């Protein structure tokens, strides 16, 4: 989806009509935190971003809001 030129994550989220203000959200496989940033800033969610790559987590921490908690982890081990 993201590779398609007409794709917009913001438009997709608006279509879903999510009520996230005050909710806790896990951005599983957050990468550099692009979606985490949108969920926090535009939807008012408390966001936790998890990715297996420490490099991506460092990038996310350096570019995203400090209120977003990023951590390195194996998603299959969260259960």
């Amino acid at each position: 989806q993201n590779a398609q030129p007409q794709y917009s994550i913001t438009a997709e989220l608006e279509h879903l009509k999510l009520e996230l203000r005050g909710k806790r959200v896990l951005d599983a496989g957050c990468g550099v935190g692009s979606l985490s940033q949108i969920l926090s800033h535009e939807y008012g969610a408390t966001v936790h971003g998890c990715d297996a790559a420490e490099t991506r987590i460092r990038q996310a921490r350096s570019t995203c809001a400090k209120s977003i908690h990023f951590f390195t982890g194996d998603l299959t081990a969260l259960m």
Side-chain angles (χ1 to χ4, degrees):
Q1 293 171 335
N2 201 25
Q4 298 173 0
Q6 72 277 10
Y7 178 76
S8 165
I9 187 65
T10 304
E12 184 170 333
L13 290 170
E14 287 174 9
H15 175 74
L16 294 172
K17 296 180 177 27
L18 300 173
E19 294 295 330
L20 298 177
R21 187 158 307 281
K23 302 276 176 82
R24 289 178 28 194
V25 176
L26 172 63
D27 184 2
C30 67
V32 297
S34 301
L35 177 59
S36 297
Q37 185 75 6
I38 292 169
L39 294 173
S40 174
H41 180 70
E42 295 185 27
Y43 288 85
T46 299
V47 181
H48 301 268
C50 177
D51 201 277
E54 179 61 37
T55 302
R56 296 291 184 246
I57 293 298
R58 279 196 303 272
Q59 289 173 310
R61 286 179 180 148
S62 71
T63 60
C64 293
K66 301 302 178 204
S67 61
I68 303 171
H69 173 71
F70 291 103
F71 62 100
T72 306
D74 177 356
L75 295 173
T76 63
L78 293 178
M79 299 174 141

